[in-house]
Amino acid sequence: MAKALQNILFFTSLSLIASTVVGQELHKHFELKEANGIDKIELKVSTKAGKSFLNAVDAVEPLLILGASENDVAASSFRIEKLHNTQKVDAELTCKSHMGLNFTESVANSFFSSSDQVHDIWQINLSENQAFDLNLNYLMGDANVDLSRLAVERLKIKSASADVKLSYKDAIMNRVAMDTFFVKVNFGNIEVKDLNYALAKEIIAEVGFGAISIDCGSDWKMNSRVTASVGAGNLNILLPPKEIPVIIRLNNSPLCNIKMAENFEKIGHNTFGNQAYIDNPDESMEFLLDVGMGSIAFKNR
């Protein structure tokens, strides 16, 4: 097997003022130039605090990361590795005051921090002309992820105690079929809008003590499977229209709370289906749910 070319680079990037978000000047922290022969970028982003924004741009450069303070450039680290036709980028974004922040402290801060706390700001611009695998990790703070106009083959989002909102604001579907859509929350909240635009075949949700809300959207284009596990938190699902066949299979305990949508009938042991599924079980959206002490609520549109 041919050895892959590996280039590990740590950047103390530019201090050029590039843009503004929520009234703050943003400075360029990292830029990935156009890469010839690269089919896909595997991007891993980790933030410790503050506000984070991710969206598509019409640009030649595949990736641009901006931050609120040019003095914090050295606190972040960026690693690049090229493997065959894939470019891997690992970006750990933090300001100097949050360099040692860990999960336990993030949970405490989410309960006791004041509302006027100064936040870090991160803006991540992705080219709409590039295919991506995205691995997004948020320790605390807020994140807004807009996947409109992007080509995302795999998506993974994890929240420790952060509030994350994922949407398709331009109402434009993913430019490729997504292999896996994965969201996980510990103490935070993840809100997914218009999941149908992801074109995801496999959807996985894991809830610890926090909450995940999923809006399946007003249309569904493919047979998909949603696998979810809920510990002591909440999973709220806004179902697709009643014309879409849906089957729900539950593995629940006596300590959990399940609220089923009104038009679902019990068709087997811990198995429920809507009328569209009863009429046409071959073309369906399937939910496989495992819940402990938490709650799951299904709601019709």
Side-chain angles (χ1 to χ4, degrees):
M1 180 181 297
K3 290 185 178 180
L5 174 63
Q6 296 184 354
N7 293 318
I8 308 299
L9 300 176
F10 290 89
F11 290 82
T12 56
S13 214
L14 305 176
S15 60
L16 174 66
I17 296 176
S19 182
T20 59
V21 171
V22 293
Q24 293 198 36
E25 293 178 342
L26 296 185
H27 303 261
K28 186 185 296 184
H29 280 218
F30 176 84
E31 183 177 30
L32 184 65
K33 298 292 186 179
E34 182 180 11
N36 294 326
I38 296 299
D39 297 330
K40 181 172 63 176
I41 294 175
E42 294 183 2
L43 174 62
K44 180 179 180 181
V45 174
S46 302
T47 67
K48 291 193 173 183
K51 296 182 180 295
S52 179
F53 303 86
L54 183 149
N55 55 263
V57 294
D58 184 9
V60 175
E61 295 78 13
L63 170 64
L64 175 65
I65 298 177
L66 307 169
S69 174
E70 61 180 327
N71 295 325
D72 289 325
V73 173
S76 298
S77 67
F78 305 89
R79 186 174 69 175
I80 298 179
E81 178 182 355
K82 185 179 180 182
L83 182 63
H84 303 299
N85 295 328
T86 298
Q87 187 80 60
K88 297 184 177 182
V89 180
D90 188 344
E92 296 186 6
L93 308 178
T94 185
C95 72
K96 293 179 180 179
S97 60
H98 293 137
M99 288 183 68
L101 189 66
N102 58 35
F103 173 70
T104 302
E105 292 172 331
S106 75
V107 173
N109 285 341
S110 67
F111 286 104
F112 301 114
S113 62
S114 61
S115 59
D116 59 350
Q117 181 181 1
V118 177
H119 292 289
D120 313 338
I121 305 294
W122 305 104
Q123 173 67 50
I124 301 168
N125 294 338
L126 305 181
S127 173
E128 61 186 40
N129 305 308
Q130 179 68 57
F132 290 92
D133 284 354
L134 297 179
N135 185 347
L136 309 176
N137 302 272
Y138 303 105
L139 187 62
M140 60 180 291
D142 302 304
N144 288 273
V145 179
D146 181 5
L147 298 182
S148 292
R149 299 182 287 118
L150 287 174
V152 181
E153 296 183 5
R154 291 182 180 86
L155 176 69
K156 179 183 290 185
I157 295 181
K158 294 182 180 180
S159 165
S161 62
D163 293 328
V164 181
K165 294 184 178 180
L166 186 150
S167 64
Y168 289 82
K169 293 182 180 178
D170 294 341
I172 298 175
M173 289 191 174
N174 194 24
R175 294 176 56 194
V176 295
M178 187 181 295
D179 178 74
T180 305
F181 181 106
F182 175 89
V183 288
K184 179 179 180 178
V185 64
N186 288 319
F187 286 88
N189 297 278
I190 296 179
E191 180 182 348
V192 178
K193 291 285 189 180
D194 294 320
L195 178 60
N196 57 306
Y197 289 135
L199 294 178
K201 186 172 182 61
E202 292 288 339
I203 300 149
I204 303 171
E206 296 182 3
V207 184
F209 292 89
I212 293 179
S213 298
I214 297 177
D215 177 353
C216 291
S218 58
D219 193 9
W220 205 264
K221 298 296 185 182
M222 61 192 303
N223 296 342
S224 300
R225 180 171 60 190
V226 181
T227 304
S229 62
V230 180
N234 301 298
L235 176 63
N236 301 297
I237 299 173
L238 182 60
L239 292 162
K242 62 181 181 179
E243 294 81 13
I244 306 299
V246 175
I247 181 172
I248 299 171
R249 306 180 193 274
L250 295 172
N251 179 20
N252 57 325
S253 77
L255 301 177
C256 71
N257 180 37
I258 305 293
K259 183 177 181 181
M260 192 61 59
E262 292 181 356
N263 63 328
F264 278 73
E265 298 181 18
K266 188 172 183 179
I267 57 176
H269 177 66
N270 281 356
T271 304
F272 302 82
N274 61 1
Q275 188 61 49
Y277 175 82
I278 295 173
D279 295 338
N280 181 20
D282 296 328
E283 300 290 334
S284 64
M285 180 179 186
E286 182 181 20
F287 287 86
L288 302 174
L289 307 177
D290 193 325
V291 56
M293 296 185 297
S295 66
I296 297 177
F298 288 94
K299 184 179 179 181
N300 293 318
R301 305 199 74 77

